[in-house]
Amino acid sequence: MKNLAYSLALAALLHLAPAGAANQIAADHPNLAYTGRVDMTDAKAPVLSWPGTSIAANFTGTSLAIVLDDQHGKNYFNVFIDGDTARPVILQLEKGSKTYLVANGLAAGAHRFLLTKRTEGEEGATVFKGIELDDKAPLAPPPPRPTRRIEFFGDSITSGMGNEAPDDGRDDLGKDKNNYQSYASIAARQLGAEAHITSQSGIGVMISWFPFTMPDFYDQINAVGDNDSRWDFKRWTPDVVVINLMQNDSWLIGRDHKLQPEPTDAQRIAAYQAFVARVRALYPNAYIVCALGSMDATRAGSVWPGYVKSAVANLHASGDARIDTLFFPFTGYGQHPRVKQHQANADLLTAFVRKKLGWTGTK
């Protein structure tokens, strides 16, 4: 009902028009703050494809419209006005270039907005083409960036697949996916950290539900499928890296036996360890958290946490002291985690990072 209510509210907004002529702000305006792996190859048409990628700005006036060009018409975005995170305007994008009026009739004066991508590369890419404000209304300098940084490499759990679906309903619909309420994004906010979410539903380390794995995918600037784009890792260096993978490997190898010849225990450990070593080579000073859960890969008796522990033990033995494990417990809930489970996992991760790095507060 919540999504329906917001959709109806948005539909009403879309039929309104801002007062007076619009002041068009181009996407390359210096007072627009981008977060995440945003493809800035064309600064006037940046591309958002990763879950959680965002744009923030401080603006003045009584209205705000956002111009977006969506690849397939499958993406959803949140727009938060003036920090009201409890009542986002949820944009269900149409295919092609459209102008979305997200606020009208605001009180005159200073305001702020945050646009976040709820969905992921699975739903396609979105080109941001700028915003429209009241006539002569300017953008103010952007909000300050957090000084802490955290990057997540993960699968559907990290993306937030189905986290806003009913507990007893299907959880594979785009409308119910909200990365802002994933454990990753929640923990980043609780830690006062800027986050990059490098995740894809269905992905694994050795095998995925499609013909590429995280070792093929992790270095792309564009999250749409397996492609030749390349992210420049020198652009942004995290203090903490969280790797939450192997849930899909546990299903496709351990349950369904889809990878043949089936890898031995030693080969499973080596594959995971090799990917972690790639991340370590990119970020020699980061604190790496090798996580798993909270779906059934961490159920009682599962062998998969042991593979993660063994890989980390090997890396410890090779001299890597800034790496550890964290397992989110399986609660017995058989579907993708809902927001309440994400919050619980975020609390565990937040406490863990604070203990290991001595981070206090949210700054």
Side-chain angles (χ1 to χ4, degrees):
M1 290 299 295
K2 179 177 67 174
N3 284 353
L4 176 59
Y6 287 134
S7 296
L8 292 174
L10 176 58
L13 278 172
L14 290 174
H15 286 90
L16 297 175
N23 179 23
Q24 298 183 346
I25 306 291
D28 62 349
H29 194 287
N31 286 344
L32 290 166
Y34 294 88
T35 297
R37 287 193 189 182
V38 179
D39 185 353
M40 302 297 292
T41 303
D42 181 353
K44 289 188 178 296
V47 182
L48 287 74
S49 56
W50 296 96
T53 43
S54 68
I55 305 168
N58 294 322
F59 67 99
T60 58
T62 64
S63 67
L64 169 69
I66 299 176
V67 186
L68 299 168
D69 187 347
D70 198 60
Q71 183 177 7
H72 301 304
K74 294 181 179 180
N75 276 302
Y76 289 77
F77 281 77
N78 296 311
V79 185
F80 302 105
I81 303 295
D82 293 336
D84 187 356
T85 57
R87 296 187 301 169
V89 174
I90 298 176
L91 302 182
Q92 178 180 356
L93 301 193
E94 300 178 28
K95 183 177 180 179
S97 183
K98 305 287 181 181
T99 299
Y100 300 89
L101 180 61
V102 296
N104 202 39
L106 297 172
H111 299 281
R112 66 188 187 275
F113 80 85
L114 173 64
L115 172 79
T116 74
K117 193 170 192 281
R118 293 169 60 97
T119 42
E120 54 186 325
E122 182 176 73
E123 283 79 22
T126 305
V127 178
F128 174 69
K129 302 177 76 172
I131 63 174
E132 295 180 359
L133 303 176
D134 292 352
D135 186 29
K136 299 180 181 179
L139 280 185
R145 288 186 179 277
T147 57
R148 299 169 179 171
R149 294 177 171 182
I150 183 167
E151 182 165 12
F152 295 83
F153 293 93
D155 50 36
S156 57
I157 300 171
T158 301
S159 292
M161 169 71 84
N163 59 346
E164 291 193 346
D167 285 351
D168 59 352
R170 60 185 293 184
D171 61 3
D172 59 345
L173 301 177
K175 69 180 181 63
D176 296 323
K177 186 184 298 186
N178 183 8
N179 182 262
Y180 188 83
Q181 294 287 15
S182 71
Y183 80 92
S185 294
I186 295 170
R189 292 194 297 276
Q190 292 180 167
L191 290 165
E194 182 172 291
H196 279 205
I197 313 292
T198 307
S199 64
Q200 170 63 52
S201 294
I203 206 162
V205 174
M206 293 169 281
I207 187 173
S208 306
W209 295 87
F210 34 77
F212 60 90
T213 62
M214 183 58 82
D216 304 315
F217 185 71
Y218 77 105
D219 59 352
Q220 299 177 178
I221 194 172
N222 189 313
V224 180
D226 186 18
N227 61 70
D228 295 330
S229 66
R230 288 293 173 264
W231 171 250
D232 181 2
F233 286 93
K234 295 179 181 178
R235 283 179 54 181
W236 192 88
T237 302
D239 304 297
V240 177
V241 175
V242 178
I243 301 170
N244 188 354
L245 294 164
M246 296 283 256
Q247 176 64 52
N248 289 297
D249 299 82
S250 78
W251 283 332
L252 291 167
I253 298 172
R255 184 190 68 187
D256 298 344
H257 308 287
K258 294 292 187 181
L259 186 58
Q260 296 295 329
E262 193 160 301
T264 64
D265 289 348
Q267 289 171 329
R268 299 177 195 195
I269 294 165
Y272 182 85
Q273 183 175 329
F275 177 69
V276 177
R278 288 196 197 184
V279 174
R280 169 56 76 209
L282 292 167
Y283 305 132
N285 298 316
Y287 197 93
I288 298 178
V289 181
C290 292
L292 184 60
S294 59
M295 295 181 76
D296 62 3
T298 56
R299 70 189 184 279
S302 171
V303 298
W304 293 87
Y307 300 144
V308 175
K309 288 180 181 178
S310 295
V312 170
N314 292 341
L315 292 165
H316 275 151
S318 69
D320 190 342
R322 292 181 59 77
I323 187 169
D324 213 330
T325 59
L326 175 65
F327 300 109
F328 302 122
F330 177 53
T331 64
Y333 182 66
Q335 298 193 70
H336 285 95
R338 301 310 199 245
V339 171
K340 60 186 175 183
Q341 284 110 9
H342 279 277
Q343 181 65 65
N345 294 338
D347 290 343
L348 289 173
L349 178 58
T350 298
F352 186 86
V353 171
R354 284 177 175 162
K355 178 180 178 180
K356 295 294 182 178
L357 275 74
W359 284 3
T360 58
T362 57
K363 295 184 179 180

